[in-house]
Amino acid sequence: MVSNLATRRRASIHTLGCRLNQAESLLLRDRLEAEGYEVVPFGEPADLGIINTCTVTRLAEAKARQVIRGFIRRNPRAFTAVIGCYSQMGARELAGIPGVDLIVGNQDKLAVLDHVRLGKLERPLILRDRIDRSDFSISFVGEKPCNQRANLKIQDGCDFMCSFCIIPMARGRARSREWENLLAEARSLVERGVRELVLTGVNLGTYASGGKNLADLVDAIDAIPGLRRVRISSIEPTTVPDGLLDRMADPAHRLQPFLHLPLQSGSDRILAAMRRKYCLDEYMDYARAAVARVPGLHLGTDLLTGFPGETEEDFGATYRVLREGPFASAHCFTYSEREGTPAVRMADTIPKSERNRRGALLRRLAADKKHAFHRAHLGREMGVLCENRDGELWPSYTSNYIRVVVPAAAAPGRDLANRIATVRLERVCADFTEGTLITPP
Ligand code: SF4
């Protein structure tokens, strides 16, 4: 147990993968501090290392192994705990890495500290319980001040069983966080300085607790005094609750005009093989209606290329839909086989080099789309939530998720951190936009 450890031991956490992992790592950081650890940046010497892993692609797993080995090399005497989706799915593989002490799957990951011991173990301890099907609460909420934006976990797991996706196996069936429990954390985060909450889960649109849905939840969060923004991280196309877009369109509501709606493919044939729940026309009708309904909406998507059977024509359809659709951003992934999913047994696999070629083409186009979205906003005056000063710049985001940097020289002696400033968007740079400060002067 932690109480066995000498006082002020140093701990560090490394987080790979999605926003849900980030939200869980924030809870763990709070718990480490409450238990007397000094939490240091990953890379500095530490007595305890926690690596929160992802399993969504082979690349994500390779990255995790690299991070784990690096930590152990730099800290050969530290207790090394590996948690999260890779621990759930690949515990045996992880146990083969010399120096790993503890492997905890998703069911118990937030209780990892209960299993940390003094000193290294001869053989790794593996805790990988069956993932609960029932809704959940999180018992620990921290007290330390927080940054401007925080991910808030509201849901976990997924029942959709898309044929390429390992997540239902890694994170279990869909379940929702208990209403009052999550609002208590939301209030605590706002009291500690958070100005923007990003609602996070695996399949957010399926959120349901005590007869309330995601739209009810954003209303309840909107009512928290001191909060300036609430954002939805990503939502499945068929699950957006009625009225959510109206809230985004309402300037008095703090729900931000940001809709990340994973499409995956522009080919109906491939969408069916992926077992997605819509066809292209349904998706695009909804997407266009959303852009028309919500002024300035940032429509983002996920695309997956190189799925078994994806012909050049199918790929062309995906490329075209990204080029011609009203997208502001796209995360473009190349398909990788995940053991345990139906897609690994499908015929007509695409050679890796071809997957990579298609992925690179989509990524280049996605960068152009992002530039075009940013360029369309040049000359506008917009509110941005400023983050901590970074050298001579104040980094920030607009409500519709344009990265804006403001030269600190424009506000000499002013501390803009955690404040909403008004800026004029002047110039598109690499993947951000430069802005001049309008208020505060
Ligand atoms: S909706 Fe599909 S892709 Fe998304 S987590 Fe669920 S199974 Fe995976």
Side-chain angles (χ1 to χ4, degrees):
M1 297 289 290
V2 177
S3 52
N4 289 337
L5 300 168
T7 51
R8 264 342 236 173
R9 285 169 65 86
R10 292 158 63 95
S12 62
I13 307 179
H14 189 86
T15 310
L16 296 138
C18 62
R19 284 180 179 275
L20 196 47
N21 267 9
Q22 290 168 21
E24 290 161 343
S25 288
L26 178 65
L27 289 161
L28 279 175
R29 187 205 70 176
D30 285 345
R31 186 158 170 214
L32 282 166
E33 281 170 342
E35 300 214 1
Y37 283 91
E38 181 189 356
V39 179
V40 297
F42 200 80
E44 288 189 12
D47 306 294
L48 167 63
I50 299 176
I51 296 106
N52 193 359
T53 59
C54 171
T55 192
V56 76
T57 60
R58 289 218 171 124
L59 197 66
E61 293 181 348
K63 177 82 188 143
R65 289 193 298 273
Q66 189 188 24
V67 169
I68 295 162
R69 289 206 175 93
F71 177 80
I72 294 168
R73 203 168 39 247
R74 287 190 307 276
N75 303 278
R77 284 207 284 272
F79 190 93
T80 305
V82 185
I83 64 172
C85 291
Y86 191 10
S87 298
Q88 184 70 31
M89 302 306 297
R92 260 197 293 163
E93 207 167 80
L94 289 168
I97 300 177
V100 169
D101 296 294
L102 176 63
I103 296 163
V104 186
N106 278 329
Q107 176 63 26
D108 294 313
K109 73 193 293 190
L110 293 179
V112 57
L113 292 191
D114 296 345
H115 307 284
V116 168
R117 305 272 191 274
L118 186 62
K120 296 205 66 71
L121 303 183
E122 242 171 60
R123 217 173 301 130
L125 175 65
I126 300 178
L127 302 167
R128 207 177 44 141
D129 277 350
R130 244 184 108 80
I131 298 176
D132 246 331
R133 281 164 167 250
S134 38
D135 289 349
F136 62 97
S137 295
I138 296 172
S139 58
F140 183 80
V141 175
E143 290 165 358
K144 295 270 286 193
C146 294
N147 284 335
Q148 300 71 30
R149 181 179 308 109
N151 297 306
L152 179 70
K153 176 172 175 172
I154 68 162
Q155 188 274 343
D156 206 340
C158 180
D159 295 338
F160 279 16
M161 304 291 167
C162 301
S163 63
F164 57 85
C165 185
I166 193 79
I167 298 302
M169 275 68 93
R171 283 206 173 257
R173 308 305 295 257
R175 54 216 187 275
S176 298
R177 184 167 174 187
E178 197 267 317
W179 178 266
E180 264 314 318
N181 177 260
L182 87 82
L183 284 176
E185 188 187 355
R187 283 186 214 105
S188 159
L189 286 166
V190 175
E191 277 160 22
R192 291 151 66 197
V194 168
R195 294 289 165 263
E196 176 171 327
L197 285 171
V198 183
L199 306 188
T200 305
V202 175
N203 196 333
L204 284 187
T206 61
Y207 179 84
S209 176
K212 302 202 173 75
N213 70 5
L214 184 63
D216 301 319
L217 182 59
V218 297
D219 287 347
I221 288 180
D222 178 59
I224 297 175
L227 182 73
R228 302 297 296 269
R229 293 174 166 185
V230 53
R231 195 183 293 283
I232 290 169
S233 57
S234 174
I235 185 163
E236 278 299 306
T238 52
T239 66
V240 184
D242 286 347
L244 205 77
L245 297 179
D246 296 335
R247 288 161 174 85
M248 282 187 196
D250 177 358
H253 202 292
R254 281 169 265 203
L255 182 62
Q256 302 296 289
F258 178 84
L259 187 67
H260 189 92
L261 213 54
L263 168 62
Q264 307 302 4
S265 174
S267 153
D268 280 340
R269 213 174 56 79
I270 296 297
L271 288 174
M274 288 175 166
R275 299 196 191 152
R276 302 290 287 171
K277 293 181 181 295
Y278 49 84
C279 66
L280 180 65
D281 281 352
E282 284 163 341
Y283 178 99
M284 290 310 295
D285 286 351
Y286 188 83
R288 287 197 197 96
V291 170
R293 173 78 189 92
V294 182
L297 181 73
H298 180 131
L299 176 72
T301 195
D302 290 341
L303 296 171
L304 178 64
T305 188
F307 189 79
E310 184 190 66
T311 61
E312 192 57 44
E313 208 173 284
D314 295 321
F315 171 70
T318 303
Y319 191 87
R320 231 174 6 259
V321 90
L322 176 60
R323 190 180 60 205
E324 283 154 28
F327 297 105
S329 63
H331 297 156
C332 305
F333 302 93
T334 46
Y335 171 74
S336 83
E337 284 81 0
R338 312 308 295 132
E339 215 41 67
T341 61
V344 285
R345 294 189 302 275
M346 290 182 183
D348 301 327
T349 54
I350 309 298
K352 296 255 164 63
S353 57
E354 180 57 17
R355 298 181 202 181
N356 291 339
R357 185 187 74 83
R358 294 177 186 179
L361 284 171
L362 286 178
R363 276 188 283 277
R364 215 168 304 142
L365 179 57
D368 292 346
K369 296 291 286 189
K370 189 170 181 177
H371 271 201
F373 185 68
H374 287 199
R375 270 198 312 276
H377 287 74
L378 290 184
R380 292 199 203 169
E381 293 182 5
M382 302 182 78
V384 294
L385 175 59
C386 295
E387 299 169 7
N388 295 333
R389 183 170 165 162
D390 182 3
E392 290 310 304
L393 300 170
W394 291 106
S396 66
Y397 277 104
T398 62
S399 58
N400 59 354
Y401 218 61
I402 296 175
R403 185 78 166 151
V404 181
V405 298
V406 182
R414 301 296 297 262
D415 184 4
L416 298 185
N418 226 4
R419 296 185 60 183
I420 302 267
T422 305
V423 297
R424 187 183 307 111
L425 273 54
E426 304 280 13
R427 228 177 331 277
V428 178
C429 303
D431 61 349
F432 61 89
T433 295
E434 213 178 281
T436 45
L437 195 64
I438 308 293
T439 58

